[in-house]
Amino acid sequence: MAADTTATAPAPAPGITEVADRQTAFVPVQTRSGRFTSTSVDDFEAVTGLEFEWKFAPLARVKHLTEAALDGSPVEVHSAEVEGATVGWIDRADARIGSAGTPEERASANAWSSFEKALHIRVTGEEASEVVVRRDSFGEAARSAHVVIEAAPNSRGTVILEQTGEANLSENVEIVVGEGAQLTVVTVQEWDDSARHLSSHFATIGRDANLRHVIVSLGGEVVRVNPAFHLVEQGASVDSFGLYFADAGQYFEQRPYIDHVAANTRSRVNYKGALQGKGAHTVWVGDVLIGPHADGTDSYEQNRNLVLSEGTRADSIPNLEIETGNIVGAGHASSTGRFDDEQLFYLQSRGISEEEARRLVVRGFLAEIISQIGSASLETRLGEAIEAELLRAQAGE
Amino acid sequence: MSVLKIEDLQVSVETEQGTKQILRGVDLTVGEGETHAIMGPNGSGKSTLAYAIAGHPKYHVEGGSVTLDGVEMLDKTVDERARAGLFLAMQYPVEIPGVSVSNFLRTAKTAIDGEAPAIRGWIKDLDSSMTALRMDKSFRERNVNEGFSGGEKKRNEILQLELLKPKFAVLDETDSGLDVDALKIVSEGVNRAKENTGLGILLITHYNRILRYVKPDFVHVFVAGRVAEQGGPELAVRLENEGYDRFLESSNVG
């Protein structure tokens, strides 16, 4: 059961809650929108590991990010100038900070409490632009960061965040998609082997706007990217994709949360992961909340995991809460399976070696997500990165 | 002159009821350019023979040998057998999501030949084979067998047969489920491969129908895991008229 045991949750009236116009309904205490939120780390109790948010993570390796003082000074980023988009820094007192969401857990609040300046990426052009922001200088010190990505009304653009190098980082990423805008945000984690990275994404999506959000996690020791998408106005839609490949000893977690607030909103969630090597562990928790005013919601979420060797673990938990009956659709699917021997036999019977056959099948499995990214150069590069992962994983067997 | 020689082949499978012996000593010799039809009732071991030759891990070889030009195939891996010149056209080819037909074919061709095919010649060969098999060009970009109809899957198998140019092919009920037009197209493909490369064929079928288009030189009747009778094409006609009853009775008695 998806029980949120955060001790500091505000005491709810047990069970019975007023939802609208003095109508009451039974609302379980763990309803996704009912979680306690705060930007201040001191409002959260110390993390024990029993909380649902921390239940799966190797807490010993990231606990310091929930309690230690974090260095919140800005770290240099690299980006080329692009027409129709700007990249700069804004002060933590800036009014745009906090416009997309509020932390729900302690590491996120700890980052929020300590960052000095926020990286600000703004897409304004109506012609599609592509901004690549490379972040490779976080280093080993415990740090916090804050990013605000804004798409102006009716703008079109792709923002790619590429992460490499060392990291010991807790951060928050806010995404504000203006009316009628179409924004793609891709975050690629190709950290060094010892990197630890906890990231919370908060997105609000305006009227008739679309956010395409892609999480790609390939490198790092502990990487968690939890995006929350708030479909706050009519006609808003989100396509949330994820791709991860965990090798021996790697822990990758992602918990997409789709919050259907307004009527006629649409969401699609599709995460695919591959696991290979002892101790490879992935977690996917997909929460979809269809609120009482979200009539006409059309929602589907799925997670598929491909297990390539013994000794791995994939947790996959879809949660669906529906507070209005008047919807177009709400479905979910989750599967975790091992390699299909018949596929292997078929490819081998055509002369293809077992190693290459495995690579073909895994690449094919993940290709569905890669092809959704919409940036030809990044798609090619990620295809190669996955190929390299596979070769590395096979060599390590 | 290439020869595929099957001698005293004994094969078992694991079932829930324990190990089950399926092939009980099969002897068969297929020469270059020859077409051998293997006919027989359901459960007689025809498909087991096909998969055992290809090396499917589900089938355990208990004894005997399968040699290609004197080289033992049974101790080789599935892909090594394919590279040595064996091909299996499957009855139920699996889907490979995310892998396009063109990528798959190029990868297989490269593996079989040991080097990547020259681009221009390859595209030309691919185009002409696909045209001959009445496969639309859009097939190349589709994922292998994903969403293919039964007939499309079989044509895709024969496309591979034509392009990979094996020495010997086992066709496992390639005719099943095909309408007459598709049956003719697929049969033409098999005949083309035979003409072009001197392909030797083991044609496994339940029916005489495909033998009107792919003419067998020899017909072997498979019953209870071994060859019960063999003869020329006339045997297929006789089987069509009489069915397999007389073999089943004799095997029950024996």
Side-chain angles (χ1 to χ4, degrees), chain A residues 340-354 356 360-361 363-365 367-368, chain B residues 51 56 78-79 82-83 87-88 90 93-95 97-99 104 107-108 111-112 145 157 160:
Chain A
D340 184 341
D341 288 337
E342 294 302 323
Q343 291 181 344
L344 205 57
F345 173 71
Y346 188 74
L347 293 168
Q348 281 191 269
S349 78
R350 281 12 178 186
I352 298 167
S353 70
E354 181 178 345
E356 191 167 7
L360 261 184
V361 171
R363 248 187 351 221
F365 174 76
E368 187 191 349
Chain B
Y51 282 90
H56 193 288
V78 176
D79 50 308
R83 291 199 293 273
F87 182 89
L88 170 61
M90 299 193 199
V94 294
E95 298 179 358
V99 179
F104 164 62
T107 305
I112 297 274
N145 293 321
E157 294 293 286
Q160 296 166 49

mmCIF file of all heavy atoms in Angstrom, chain A residues 340-354 356 360-361 363-365 367-368, chain B residues 51 56 78-79 82-83 87-88 90 93-95 97-99 104 107-108 111-112 145 157 160:
data_model
loop_
_atom_site.group_PDB
_atom_site.id
_atom_site.type_symbol
_atom_site.label_atom_id
_atom_site.label_comp_id
_atom_site.label_asym_id
_atom_site.label_seq_id
_atom_site.Cartn_x
_atom_site.Cartn_y
_atom_site.Cartn_z
ATOM 1 N N ASP A 340 13.698 -12.225 -22.802
ATOM 2 C CA ASP A 340 12.898 -13.214 -23.515
ATOM 3 C C ASP A 340 13.820 -14.151 -24.315
ATOM 4 O O ASP A 340 14.442 -13.755 -25.290
ATOM 5 C CB ASP A 340 11.931 -12.483 -24.448
ATOM 6 C CG ASP A 340 10.992 -13.449 -25.151
ATOM 7 O OD1 ASP A 340 11.300 -14.652 -25.214
ATOM 8 O OD2 ASP A 340 9.947 -12.987 -25.632
ATOM 9 N N ASP A 341 13.887 -15.403 -23.874
ATOM 10 C CA ASP A 341 14.776 -16.366 -24.529
ATOM 11 C C ASP A 341 14.397 -16.627 -25.985
ATOM 12 O O ASP A 341 15.244 -16.948 -26.808
ATOM 13 C CB ASP A 341 14.784 -17.697 -23.765
ATOM 14 C CG ASP A 341 15.524 -17.565 -22.443
ATOM 15 O OD1 ASP A 341 16.358 -16.645 -22.330
ATOM 16 O OD2 ASP A 341 15.263 -18.363 -21.533
ATOM 17 N N GLU A 342 13.102 -16.492 -26.285
ATOM 18 C CA GLU A 342 12.672 -16.742 -27.666
ATOM 19 C C GLU A 342 13.199 -15.651 -28.603
ATOM 20 O O GLU A 342 13.531 -15.914 -29.756
ATOM 21 C CB GLU A 342 11.142 -16.828 -27.746
ATOM 22 C CG GLU A 342 10.544 -18.035 -27.020
ATOM 23 C CD GLU A 342 11.081 -19.383 -27.533
ATOM 24 O OE1 GLU A 342 11.313 -19.516 -28.747
ATOM 25 O OE2 GLU A 342 11.268 -20.287 -26.698
ATOM 26 N N GLN A 343 13.247 -14.418 -28.095
ATOM 27 C CA GLN A 343 13.820 -13.337 -28.907
ATOM 28 C C GLN A 343 15.309 -13.619 -29.159
ATOM 29 O O GLN A 343 15.806 -13.439 -30.268
ATOM 30 C CB GLN A 343 13.659 -11.991 -28.197
ATOM 31 C CG GLN A 343 12.221 -11.528 -28.127
ATOM 32 C CD GLN A 343 12.088 -10.187 -27.440
ATOM 33 O OE1 GLN A 343 12.993 -9.735 -26.760
ATOM 34 N NE2 GLN A 343 10.942 -9.559 -27.606
ATOM 35 N N LEU A 344 15.953 -14.053 -28.110
ATOM 36 C CA LEU A 344 17.378 -14.362 -28.226
ATOM 37 C C LEU A 344 17.607 -15.475 -29.251
ATOM 38 O O LEU A 344 18.490 -15.392 -30.106
ATOM 39 C CB LEU A 344 17.880 -14.801 -26.855
ATOM 40 C CG LEU A 344 19.341 -14.618 -26.552
ATOM 41 C CD1 LEU A 344 19.735 -13.163 -26.729
ATOM 42 C CD2 LEU A 344 19.638 -15.072 -25.132
ATOM 43 N N PHE A 345 16.792 -16.531 -29.164
ATOM 44 C CA PHE A 345 16.923 -17.651 -30.088
ATOM 45 C C PHE A 345 16.698 -17.189 -31.524
ATOM 46 O O PHE A 345 17.446 -17.565 -32.430
ATOM 47 C CB PHE A 345 15.925 -18.762 -29.724
ATOM 48 C CG PHE A 345 15.882 -19.878 -30.731
ATOM 49 C CD1 PHE A 345 16.936 -20.755 -30.857
ATOM 50 C CD2 PHE A 345 14.778 -20.020 -31.571
ATOM 51 C CE1 PHE A 345 16.907 -21.777 -31.802
ATOM 52 C CE2 PHE A 345 14.744 -21.040 -32.519
ATOM 53 C CZ PHE A 345 15.814 -21.919 -32.627
ATOM 54 N N TYR A 346 15.663 -16.370 -31.700
ATOM 55 C CA TYR A 346 15.344 -15.905 -33.053
ATOM 56 C C TYR A 346 16.528 -15.153 -33.656
ATOM 57 O O TYR A 346 16.945 -15.421 -34.788
ATOM 58 C CB TYR A 346 14.103 -15.012 -33.004
ATOM 59 C CG TYR A 346 13.564 -14.622 -34.357
ATOM 60 C CD1 TYR A 346 12.870 -15.546 -35.143
ATOM 61 C CD2 TYR A 346 13.727 -13.335 -34.863
ATOM 62 C CE1 TYR A 346 12.363 -15.197 -36.382
ATOM 63 C CE2 TYR A 346 13.218 -12.973 -36.092
ATOM 64 C CZ TYR A 346 12.541 -13.908 -36.855
ATOM 65 O OH TYR A 346 12.034 -13.562 -38.078
ATOM 66 N N LEU A 347 17.080 -14.221 -32.897
ATOM 67 C CA LEU A 347 18.191 -13.421 -33.416
ATOM 68 C C LEU A 347 19.437 -14.289 -33.632
ATOM 69 O O LEU A 347 20.130 -14.160 -34.646
ATOM 70 C CB LEU A 347 18.499 -12.272 -32.460
ATOM 71 C CG LEU A 347 17.384 -11.220 -32.360
ATOM 72 C CD1 LEU A 347 17.632 -10.282 -31.191
ATOM 73 C CD2 LEU A 347 17.274 -10.422 -33.653
ATOM 74 N N GLN A 348 19.693 -15.179 -32.703
ATOM 75 C CA GLN A 348 20.874 -16.046 -32.851
ATOM 76 C C GLN A 348 20.730 -16.977 -34.045
ATOM 77 O O GLN A 348 21.707 -17.300 -34.708
ATOM 78 C CB GLN A 348 21.090 -16.866 -31.578
ATOM 79 C CG GLN A 348 21.765 -16.086 -30.465
ATOM 80 C CD GLN A 348 22.185 -17.017 -29.356
ATOM 81 O OE1 GLN A 348 21.432 -17.246 -28.422
ATOM 82 N NE2 GLN A 348 23.376 -17.577 -29.458
ATOM 83 N N SER A 349 19.493 -17.408 -34.307
ATOM 84 C CA SER A 349 19.293 -18.320 -35.434
ATOM 85 C C SER A 349 19.543 -17.613 -36.761
ATOM 86 O O SER A 349 19.562 -18.240 -37.810
ATOM 87 C CB SER A 349 17.882 -18.904 -35.405
ATOM 88 O OG SER A 349 16.949 -17.964 -35.895
ATOM 89 N N ARG A 350 19.715 -16.288 -36.708
ATOM 90 C CA ARG A 350 20.087 -15.524 -37.903
ATOM 91 C C ARG A 350 21.566 -15.180 -37.894
ATOM 92 O O ARG A 350 22.013 -14.242 -38.576
ATOM 93 C CB ARG A 350 19.250 -14.247 -37.996
ATOM 94 C CG ARG A 350 17.812 -14.380 -38.521
ATOM 95 C CD ARG A 350 17.292 -15.746 -38.611
ATOM 96 N NE ARG A 350 15.908 -15.840 -39.057
ATOM 97 C CZ ARG A 350 15.245 -16.978 -39.094
ATOM 98 N NH1 ARG A 350 15.814 -18.110 -38.721
ATOM 99 N NH2 ARG A 350 14.008 -17.025 -39.511
ATOM 100 N N GLY A 351 22.309 -15.869 -37.049
ATOM 101 C CA GLY A 351 23.762 -15.702 -37.071
ATOM 102 C C GLY A 351 24.285 -14.649 -36.112
ATOM 103 O O GLY A 351 25.497 -14.463 -35.994
ATOM 104 N N ILE A 352 23.376 -13.956 -35.420
ATOM 105 C CA ILE A 352 23.792 -12.863 -34.537
ATOM 106 C C ILE A 352 24.250 -13.452 -33.200
ATOM 107 O O ILE A 352 23.544 -14.286 -32.614
ATOM 108 C CB ILE A 352 22.617 -11.881 -34.353
ATOM 109 C CG1 ILE A 352 22.235 -11.284 -35.718
ATOM 110 C CG2 ILE A 352 22.969 -10.786 -33.361
ATOM 111 C CD1 ILE A 352 20.903 -10.560 -35.727
ATOM 112 N N SER A 353 25.408 -13.039 -32.727
ATOM 113 C CA SER A 353 25.960 -13.612 -31.492
ATOM 114 C C SER A 353 25.069 -13.257 -30.309
ATOM 115 O O SER A 353 24.313 -12.290 -30.351
ATOM 116 C CB SER A 353 27.366 -13.072 -31.245
ATOM 117 O OG SER A 353 27.282 -11.702 -30.895
ATOM 118 N N GLU A 354 25.186 -14.051 -29.245
ATOM 119 C CA GLU A 354 24.339 -13.819 -28.080
ATOM 120 C C GLU A 354 24.523 -12.400 -27.521
ATOM 121 O O GLU A 354 23.554 -11.719 -27.202
ATOM 122 C CB GLU A 354 24.632 -14.853 -26.992
ATOM 123 C CG GLU A 354 23.745 -14.643 -25.779
ATOM 124 C CD GLU A 354 23.960 -15.664 -24.678
ATOM 125 O OE1 GLU A 354 24.587 -16.699 -24.933
ATOM 126 O OE2 GLU A 354 23.475 -15.404 -23.568
ATOM 127 N N GLU A 356 25.516 -9.674 -29.029
ATOM 128 C CA GLU A 356 24.941 -8.653 -29.891
ATOM 129 C C GLU A 356 23.413 -8.728 -29.882
ATOM 130 O O GLU A 356 22.730 -7.702 -29.923
ATOM 131 C CB GLU A 356 25.471 -8.788 -31.321
ATOM 132 C CG GLU A 356 25.103 -7.589 -32.156
ATOM 133 C CD GLU A 356 25.839 -7.508 -33.478
ATOM 134 O OE1 GLU A 356 26.552 -8.470 -33.809
ATOM 135 O OE2 GLU A 356 25.681 -6.491 -34.153
ATOM 136 N N LEU A 360 20.860 -5.738 -29.046
ATOM 137 C CA LEU A 360 19.781 -5.337 -29.960
ATOM 138 C C LEU A 360 18.448 -5.265 -29.232
ATOM 139 O O LEU A 360 17.690 -4.307 -29.389
ATOM 140 C CB LEU A 360 19.645 -6.379 -31.087
ATOM 141 C CG LEU A 360 20.277 -6.111 -32.441
ATOM 142 C CD1 LEU A 360 19.917 -7.246 -33.385
ATOM 143 C CD2 LEU A 360 19.841 -4.783 -33.034
ATOM 144 N N VAL A 361 18.180 -6.296 -28.428
ATOM 145 C CA VAL A 361 16.884 -6.356 -27.753
ATOM 146 C C VAL A 361 16.750 -5.229 -26.716
ATOM 147 O O VAL A 361 15.725 -4.565 -26.643
ATOM 148 C CB VAL A 361 16.672 -7.735 -27.088
ATOM 149 C CG1 VAL A 361 15.438 -7.729 -26.202
ATOM 150 C CG2 VAL A 361 16.534 -8.811 -28.156
ATOM 151 N N ARG A 363 18.436 -2.356 -26.607
ATOM 152 C CA ARG A 363 18.347 -1.084 -27.327
ATOM 153 C C ARG A 363 16.960 -0.886 -27.885
ATOM 154 O O ARG A 363 16.402 0.198 -27.826
ATOM 155 C CB ARG A 363 19.375 -1.042 -28.450
ATOM 156 C CG ARG A 363 20.462 -0.041 -28.204
ATOM 157 C CD ARG A 363 21.364 0.122 -29.384
ATOM 158 N NE ARG A 363 21.151 -0.840 -30.444
ATOM 159 C CZ ARG A 363 22.137 -1.413 -31.125
ATOM 160 N NH1 ARG A 363 23.363 -1.150 -30.826
ATOM 161 N NH2 ARG A 363 21.875 -2.249 -32.104
ATOM 162 N N GLY A 364 16.403 -1.955 -28.447
ATOM 163 C CA GLY A 364 15.051 -1.880 -29.000
ATOM 164 C C GLY A 364 14.030 -1.554 -27.928
ATOM 165 O O GLY A 364 13.136 -0.739 -28.128
ATOM 166 N N PHE A 365 14.203 -2.181 -26.777
ATOM 167 C CA PHE A 365 13.288 -1.963 -25.645
ATOM 168 C C PHE A 365 13.300 -0.498 -25.214
ATOM 169 O O PHE A 365 12.258 0.113 -24.970
ATOM 170 C CB PHE A 365 13.726 -2.887 -24.501
ATOM 171 C CG PHE A 365 12.995 -2.690 -23.207
ATOM 172 C CD1 PHE A 365 11.705 -3.167 -23.048
ATOM 173 C CD2 PHE A 365 13.613 -2.053 -22.147
ATOM 174 C CE1 PHE A 365 11.045 -3.002 -21.842
ATOM 175 C CE2 PHE A 365 12.953 -1.878 -20.948
ATOM 176 C CZ PHE A 365 11.668 -2.357 -20.788
ATOM 177 N N ALA A 367 14.429 2.006 -27.048
ATOM 178 C CA ALA A 367 14.314 2.931 -28.186
ATOM 179 C C ALA A 367 12.988 3.678 -28.177
ATOM 180 O O ALA A 367 12.899 4.821 -28.607
ATOM 181 C CB ALA A 367 14.468 2.171 -29.504
ATOM 182 N N GLU A 368 11.963 3.027 -27.638
ATOM 183 C CA GLU A 368 10.637 3.660 -27.604
ATOM 184 C C GLU A 368 10.698 4.997 -26.863
ATOM 185 O O GLU A 368 10.048 5.965 -27.251
ATOM 186 C CB GLU A 368 9.650 2.718 -26.906
ATOM 187 C CG GLU A 368 8.223 3.216 -26.986
ATOM 188 C CD GLU A 368 7.294 2.432 -26.060
ATOM 189 O OE1 GLU A 368 7.699 1.384 -25.510
ATOM 190 O OE2 GLU A 368 6.160 2.861 -25.899
ATOM 191 N N TYR B 51 13.680 -27.540 -34.642
ATOM 192 C CA TYR B 51 14.296 -26.749 -33.574
ATOM 193 C C TYR B 51 15.588 -27.383 -33.055
ATOM 194 O O TYR B 51 16.511 -26.684 -32.644
ATOM 195 C CB TYR B 51 13.299 -26.509 -32.440
ATOM 196 C CG TYR B 51 12.326 -25.408 -32.798
ATOM 197 C CD1 TYR B 51 11.123 -25.682 -33.436
ATOM 198 C CD2 TYR B 51 12.656 -24.081 -32.549
ATOM 199 C CE1 TYR B 51 10.261 -24.668 -33.804
ATOM 200 C CE2 TYR B 51 11.812 -23.060 -32.905
ATOM 201 C CZ TYR B 51 10.608 -23.353 -33.535
ATOM 202 O OH TYR B 51 9.772 -22.333 -33.899
ATOM 203 N N HIS B 56 17.674 -24.910 -30.534
ATOM 204 C CA HIS B 56 16.861 -24.277 -29.499
ATOM 205 C C HIS B 56 17.161 -24.923 -28.142
ATOM 206 O O HIS B 56 17.173 -26.149 -28.019
ATOM 207 C CB HIS B 56 15.370 -24.424 -29.833
ATOM 208 C CG HIS B 56 14.503 -23.532 -28.992
ATOM 209 N ND1 HIS B 56 14.287 -23.765 -27.653
ATOM 210 C CD2 HIS B 56 13.812 -22.407 -29.302
ATOM 211 C CE1 HIS B 56 13.491 -22.815 -27.173
ATOM 212 N NE2 HIS B 56 13.185 -21.987 -28.146
ATOM 213 N N VAL B 78 23.695 -21.669 -31.330
ATOM 214 C CA VAL B 78 22.666 -21.364 -32.330
ATOM 215 C C VAL B 78 23.229 -20.464 -33.427
ATOM 216 O O VAL B 78 23.030 -20.716 -34.625
ATOM 217 C CB VAL B 78 21.460 -20.685 -31.640
ATOM 218 C CG1 VAL B 78 20.423 -20.262 -32.674
ATOM 219 C CG2 VAL B 78 20.840 -21.619 -30.603
ATOM 220 N N ASP B 79 23.931 -19.410 -33.027
ATOM 221 C CA ASP B 79 24.429 -18.459 -34.027
ATOM 222 C C ASP B 79 25.572 -19.058 -34.856
ATOM 223 O O ASP B 79 25.707 -18.759 -36.041
ATOM 224 C CB ASP B 79 24.866 -17.141 -33.368
ATOM 225 C CG ASP B 79 25.796 -17.344 -32.191
ATOM 226 O OD1 ASP B 79 25.439 -18.127 -31.295
ATOM 227 O OD2 ASP B 79 26.873 -16.726 -32.161
ATOM 228 N N ALA B 82 24.002 -21.017 -37.599
ATOM 229 C CA ALA B 82 23.487 -20.137 -38.662
ATOM 230 C C ALA B 82 24.645 -19.665 -39.539
ATOM 231 O O ALA B 82 24.525 -19.621 -40.767
ATOM 232 C CB ALA B 82 22.743 -18.960 -38.044
ATOM 233 N N ARG B 83 25.747 -19.326 -38.904
ATOM 234 C CA ARG B 83 26.891 -18.835 -39.685
ATOM 235 C C ARG B 83 27.529 -19.953 -40.515
ATOM 236 O O ARG B 83 28.142 -19.699 -41.540
ATOM 237 C CB ARG B 83 27.932 -18.184 -38.758
ATOM 238 C CG ARG B 83 27.423 -16.874 -38.147
ATOM 239 C CD ARG B 83 28.558 -16.005 -37.618
ATOM 240 N NE ARG B 83 29.235 -16.597 -36.486
ATOM 241 C CZ ARG B 83 28.858 -16.455 -35.215
ATOM 242 N NH1 ARG B 83 27.788 -15.728 -34.920
ATOM 243 N NH2 ARG B 83 29.530 -17.023 -34.244
ATOM 244 N N PHE B 87 19.581 -22.556 -41.703
ATOM 245 C CA PHE B 87 18.541 -21.540 -41.537
ATOM 246 C C PHE B 87 17.252 -22.235 -41.141
ATOM 247 O O PHE B 87 16.917 -23.300 -41.664
ATOM 248 C CB PHE B 87 18.328 -20.780 -42.854
ATOM 249 C CG PHE B 87 17.304 -19.684 -42.775
ATOM 250 C CD1 PHE B 87 17.673 -18.392 -42.397
ATOM 251 C CD2 PHE B 87 15.967 -19.930 -43.076
ATOM 252 C CE1 PHE B 87 16.729 -17.379 -42.319
ATOM 253 C CE2 PHE B 87 15.019 -18.916 -43.000
ATOM 254 C CZ PHE B 87 15.405 -17.642 -42.627
ATOM 255 N N LEU B 88 16.535 -21.625 -40.213
ATOM 256 C CA LEU B 88 15.225 -22.141 -39.823
ATOM 257 C C LEU B 88 14.168 -21.064 -40.060
ATOM 258 O O LEU B 88 14.235 -19.985 -39.465
ATOM 259 C CB LEU B 88 15.228 -22.539 -38.333
ATOM 260 C CG LEU B 88 13.879 -22.878 -37.706
ATOM 261 C CD1 LEU B 88 13.218 -24.061 -38.392
ATOM 262 C CD2 LEU B 88 14.038 -23.155 -36.205
ATOM 263 N N MET B 90 10.714 -20.012 -39.194
ATOM 264 C CA MET B 90 9.914 -20.447 -38.053
ATOM 265 C C MET B 90 8.422 -20.356 -38.320
ATOM 266 O O MET B 90 7.950 -19.539 -39.092
ATOM 267 C CB MET B 90 10.278 -19.607 -36.834
ATOM 268 C CG MET B 90 11.743 -19.784 -36.483
ATOM 269 S SD MET B 90 12.150 -19.144 -34.887
ATOM 270 C CE MET B 90 13.930 -18.989 -35.105
ATOM 271 N N PRO B 93 7.313 -16.789 -35.723
ATOM 272 C CA PRO B 93 8.443 -15.884 -35.439
ATOM 273 C C PRO B 93 8.051 -14.853 -34.369
ATOM 274 O O PRO B 93 6.928 -14.352 -34.401
ATOM 275 C CB PRO B 93 8.692 -15.186 -36.779
ATOM 276 C CG PRO B 93 7.856 -15.895 -37.789
ATOM 277 C CD PRO B 93 6.771 -16.599 -37.072
ATOM 278 N N VAL B 94 8.960 -14.578 -33.447
ATOM 279 C CA VAL B 94 8.644 -13.660 -32.348
ATOM 280 C C VAL B 94 8.820 -12.194 -32.765
ATOM 281 O O VAL B 94 9.550 -11.884 -33.707
ATOM 282 C CB VAL B 94 9.527 -13.910 -31.109
ATOM 283 C CG1 VAL B 94 9.242 -15.263 -30.497
ATOM 284 C CG2 VAL B 94 11.000 -13.751 -31.447
ATOM 285 N N GLU B 95 8.154 -11.329 -32.030
ATOM 286 C CA GLU B 95 8.307 -9.888 -32.235
ATOM 287 C C GLU B 95 9.558 -9.407 -31.518
ATOM 288 O O GLU B 95 9.882 -9.880 -30.441
ATOM 289 C CB GLU B 95 7.099 -9.146 -31.643
ATOM 290 C CG GLU B 95 5.788 -9.517 -32.289
ATOM 291 C CD GLU B 95 4.613 -8.779 -31.671
ATOM 292 O OE1 GLU B 95 4.827 -8.008 -30.713
ATOM 293 O OE2 GLU B 95 3.495 -8.974 -32.152
ATOM 294 N N PRO B 97 10.519 -5.868 -30.343
ATOM 295 C CA PRO B 97 10.132 -4.450 -30.268
ATOM 296 C C PRO B 97 11.336 -3.529 -30.377
ATOM 297 O O PRO B 97 12.409 -3.829 -29.838
ATOM 298 C CB PRO B 97 9.484 -4.327 -28.868
ATOM 299 C CG PRO B 97 9.093 -5.713 -28.491
ATOM 300 C CD PRO B 97 10.107 -6.609 -29.139
ATOM 301 N N GLY B 98 11.157 -2.449 -31.103
ATOM 302 C CA GLY B 98 12.196 -1.423 -31.176
ATOM 303 C C GLY B 98 13.335 -1.743 -32.127
ATOM 304 O O GLY B 98 14.258 -0.948 -32.271
ATOM 305 N N VAL B 99 13.290 -2.906 -32.785
ATOM 306 C CA VAL B 99 14.336 -3.264 -33.746
ATOM 307 C C VAL B 99 13.702 -3.302 -35.140
ATOM 308 O O VAL B 99 12.830 -4.125 -35.400
ATOM 309 C CB VAL B 99 14.973 -4.627 -33.413
ATOM 310 C CG1 VAL B 99 16.035 -4.992 -34.437
ATOM 311 C CG2 VAL B 99 15.566 -4.616 -32.005
ATOM 312 N N PHE B 104 17.690 -5.114 -38.375
ATOM 313 C CA PHE B 104 17.811 -6.547 -38.089
ATOM 314 C C PHE B 104 18.468 -7.294 -39.256
ATOM 315 O O PHE B 104 19.414 -8.068 -39.069
ATOM 316 C CB PHE B 104 16.419 -7.095 -37.785
ATOM 317 C CG PHE B 104 16.299 -8.586 -37.848
ATOM 318 C CD1 PHE B 104 17.033 -9.405 -36.997
ATOM 319 C CD2 PHE B 104 15.447 -9.190 -38.756
ATOM 320 C CE1 PHE B 104 16.914 -10.780 -37.054
ATOM 321 C CE2 PHE B 104 15.316 -10.563 -38.817
ATOM 322 C CZ PHE B 104 16.058 -11.360 -37.976
ATOM 323 N N THR B 107 22.117 -6.375 -39.626
ATOM 324 C CA THR B 107 22.908 -6.973 -38.548
ATOM 325 C C THR B 107 23.126 -8.464 -38.805
ATOM 326 O O THR B 107 24.233 -8.990 -38.644
ATOM 327 C CB THR B 107 22.197 -6.771 -37.190
ATOM 328 O OG1 THR B 107 21.940 -5.387 -37.010
ATOM 329 C CG2 THR B 107 23.064 -7.265 -36.039
ATOM 330 N N ALA B 108 22.048 -9.147 -39.232
ATOM 331 C CA ALA B 108 22.154 -10.582 -39.495
ATOM 332 C C ALA B 108 23.085 -10.843 -40.681
ATOM 333 O O ALA B 108 23.954 -11.728 -40.628
ATOM 334 C CB ALA B 108 20.765 -11.159 -39.767
ATOM 335 N N ALA B 111 26.591 -10.451 -39.663
ATOM 336 C CA ALA B 111 27.047 -11.560 -38.817
ATOM 337 C C ALA B 111 27.332 -12.797 -39.660
ATOM 338 O O ALA B 111 28.344 -13.474 -39.478
ATOM 339 C CB ALA B 111 25.990 -11.868 -37.757
ATOM 340 N N ILE B 112 26.454 -13.084 -40.621
ATOM 341 C CA ILE B 112 26.614 -14.287 -41.446
ATOM 342 C C ILE B 112 27.854 -14.184 -42.348
ATOM 343 O O ILE B 112 28.626 -15.128 -42.475
ATOM 344 C CB ILE B 112 25.357 -14.515 -42.332
ATOM 345 C CG1 ILE B 112 24.127 -14.763 -41.457
ATOM 346 C CG2 ILE B 112 25.583 -15.621 -43.358
ATOM 347 C CD1 ILE B 112 23.894 -16.167 -41.006
ATOM 348 N N ASN B 145 8.476 -8.220 -36.963
ATOM 349 C CA ASN B 145 7.276 -9.034 -36.690
ATOM 350 C C ASN B 145 6.217 -8.352 -35.830
ATOM 351 O O ASN B 145 5.179 -8.941 -35.555
ATOM 352 C CB ASN B 145 7.654 -10.377 -36.040
ATOM 353 C CG ASN B 145 8.427 -11.263 -36.994
ATOM 354 O OD1 ASN B 145 8.118 -11.305 -38.189
ATOM 355 N ND2 ASN B 145 9.440 -11.944 -36.500
ATOM 356 N N GLU B 157 10.092 -14.179 -43.104
ATOM 357 C CA GLU B 157 11.011 -15.310 -42.942
ATOM 358 C C GLU B 157 11.687 -15.644 -44.267
ATOM 359 O O GLU B 157 12.897 -15.888 -44.318
ATOM 360 C CB GLU B 157 10.256 -16.550 -42.420
ATOM 361 C CG GLU B 157 9.707 -16.406 -41.009
ATOM 362 C CD GLU B 157 10.802 -16.302 -39.957
ATOM 363 O OE1 GLU B 157 11.444 -17.311 -39.647
ATOM 364 O OE2 GLU B 157 11.012 -15.179 -39.460
ATOM 365 N N GLN B 160 14.349 -13.221 -45.303
ATOM 366 C CA GLN B 160 15.637 -13.511 -44.657
ATOM 367 C C GLN B 160 16.340 -14.672 -45.348
ATOM 368 O O GLN B 160 17.557 -14.651 -45.543
ATOM 369 C CB GLN B 160 15.417 -13.840 -43.177
ATOM 370 C CG GLN B 160 14.864 -12.668 -42.376
ATOM 371 C CD GLN B 160 14.341 -13.111 -41.027
ATOM 372 O OE1 GLN B 160 15.017 -13.817 -40.307
ATOM 373 N NE2 GLN B 160 13.132 -12.704 -40.695
#
